[in-house]
Amino acid sequence: MPPTLLSITRDELDLAALVRLVTESGDQPPGRHGAIVTFLGTVRGENLGRRVVELEYQAYEPLAVRAFEIIAAEVADTWPEARLALHHRIGTLRPGEVSVAIAAASPHRTEAFKACRYAIERVKQIAPIWKREVFEGGEAWIENATADPSDSAARQAASERACR
């Protein structure tokens, strides 16, 4: 199956593939984008003073992809020339492994940076992806997305963080 712009996967994330997705599209002329901004979220080896052994990410894929579609639509509304790709892993990951990858392409760098930052802020707010942290001496579920996708205050907060 060819890669899609928005995805939940158990496979390792391929940032180069995301860059190709946002820059090589049959409906866009070559060289349309003057900037490509990427983001990789990785598993930290320490959290709350505890040594992390692994993180287990779980998601109900249709709902998570729907949240990604909402985020992509919000990006398109705010930065119409930006093109976004967003992939998130599920399954068990060890410290240093990439859990989320985002690529945002735009004719101008300012919009690409803002679109990429906005996307990760919204993932943290609304994507129904849960994680169980296993650390030395125990384990705990980590609170993640809690905002309603239609919560305008949450959306505004993400926008403010993205546009600082």
Side-chain angles (χ1 to χ4, degrees), residues 107-163:
H108 305 285
R109 67 181 179 275
T110 301
E111 291 78 14
F113 274 112
K114 289 178 180 179
C116 190
R117 174 71 192 263
Y118 180 84
I120 189 59
E121 295 296 337
R122 290 296 277 164
V123 166
K124 295 301 220 175
Q125 288 180 332
I126 70 169
I129 298 170
W130 303 276
K131 58 185 176 183
R132 184 176 60 90
E133 181 182 271
V134 177
F135 51 87
E136 289 182 342
E139 62 182 55
W141 284 96
I142 306 296
E143 184 175 327
N144 211 7
T146 56
D148 180 329
S150 64
D151 180 346
S152 61
R155 185 175 177 185
Q156 180 63 31
S159 181
E160 288 173 5
R161 281 191 290 274
C163 297

